Amino acid sequence: MESCVFCRIARGEIPAEVVYEDAGNLVFRDIKPAAPVHLLAIPRRHVARLADCSGKDADLLAALFLAVNRAAAAEKLRDFRLIVNNGAGAGQTVFHLHAHILAGGNMSEKLL
Ligand code: 5GP
Ligand code: ZN
């Protein structure tokens, strides 16, 4: 996707502070952190949102979760929270699948 901001980050056209990357995924710091540690994990391949994924994307989703684990290990995070906003009504503003990794501060307060 030519103009997608996360595709552009994945292509290296927009700078980002990358903390982990592999062949299929990239994890970088959110430009506007909502927690002491706020990372975004994305697949390099453009998928607009989680609900667009089906069985054929199972490998992509599994690899994304493993990239989250590896980024958390690289950042020495033992505890973290993962959030995926799916759709504008849920607060999604960038339509390239991403998981927010939040950690630090008082993360023991439960949302659910
Ligand atoms: P969403 O609201 O779609 O779940 O999350 C999008 C996230 O992407 C937001 O937390 C926002 O701060 C972050 N973001 C938007 N544009 C950029 C950018 O150019 N670079 C980085 N590092 N983060 C971005
Ligand atoms: Zn994209």
Side-chain angles (χ1 to χ4, degrees):
M1 284 280 278
E2 204 54 47
S3 63
C4 167
V5 63
F6 287 177
C7 283
R8 296 192 67 197
I9 287 174
R11 289 197 296 264
E13 295 171 7
I14 295 176
E17 203 178 323
V18 174
V19 301
Y20 172 82
E21 63 182 314
D22 59 33
N25 306 278
L26 199 64
V27 183
F28 52 92
R29 294 193 195 284
D30 196 293
I31 204 166
K32 199 175 155 215
V37 179
H38 186 171
L39 310 175
L40 298 170
I42 65 166
R44 292 183 188 274
R45 174 156 74 79
H46 183 86
V47 175
R49 58 184 196 161
L50 181 63
D52 292 341
C53 293
S54 63
K56 67 176 168 37
D57 303 305
D59 288 350
L60 176 144
L61 293 173
L64 184 63
F65 267 72
L66 292 173
V68 167
N69 272 355
R70 289 171 185 150
E75 288 291 292
K76 298 186 169 42
L77 306 178
R78 196 171 65 89
D79 302 326
F80 58 87
R81 179 173 293 154
L82 207 57
I83 295 177
V84 177
N85 296 323
N86 182 82
Q92 186 175 4
T93 58
V94 176
F95 284 81
H96 179 127
L97 174 62
H98 55 280
H100 296 259
I101 305 169
L102 301 166
N106 183 11
M107 296 294 295
S108 62
E109 188 183 328
K110 289 173 71 72
L111 295 175
L112 299 171

